[in-house]
Amino acid sequence: MVNFKFLRFSMSHNYNHQMNDNDIADQLRLVYRLMRFSRNQKWWWALWLWGLEVSKVNAYMMYRRYHELRGLTPEYSHFEFQEAIGKAWIDPI
């Protein structure tokens, strides 16, 4: 076995190390997708739905982080949070 020093740029290591929250956000977004069965839509419709999905995931991540910082347990899971948003859209009062 030959031992040698392998030199590489730290840019790829830093990228992979610092992308952890984005990977989690992508995983959460893909669990309950709005665009799962939509095909042949206009390009702006797909972009709008993607923005909506990302904003819902960001809201859930902020909700979870808020409770984590306060030392509280969140009362909603990811599914329950999405369900509460859907119910609020259907019946806002």
Side-chain angles (χ1 to χ4, degrees), residues 31-68:
V31 172
Y32 303 111
R33 290 182 61 192
L34 295 174
M35 296 177 43
R36 181 171 294 167
F37 301 110
S38 66
R39 295 180 189 258
N40 300 325
Q41 299 288 336
K42 298 285 188 183
W43 66 268
W44 52 265
W45 186 245
L47 188 64
W48 189 83
L49 287 177
W50 174 83
L52 184 62
E53 290 171 352
V54 168
S55 58
K56 287 192 328 183
V57 167
N58 287 343
Y60 175 69
M61 291 182 74
M62 287 175 23
Y63 165 79
R64 195 172 65 182
R65 181 71 175 150
Y66 174 81
H67 282 78
E68 180 183 309

Side-chain angles (χ1 to χ4, degrees), residues 8-19:
R8 65 182 171 104
F9 291 112
S10 63
M11 183 172 58
S12 62
H13 174 72
N14 291 340
Y15 175 80
N16 290 331
H17 180 69
Q18 295 172 358
M19 287 295 288

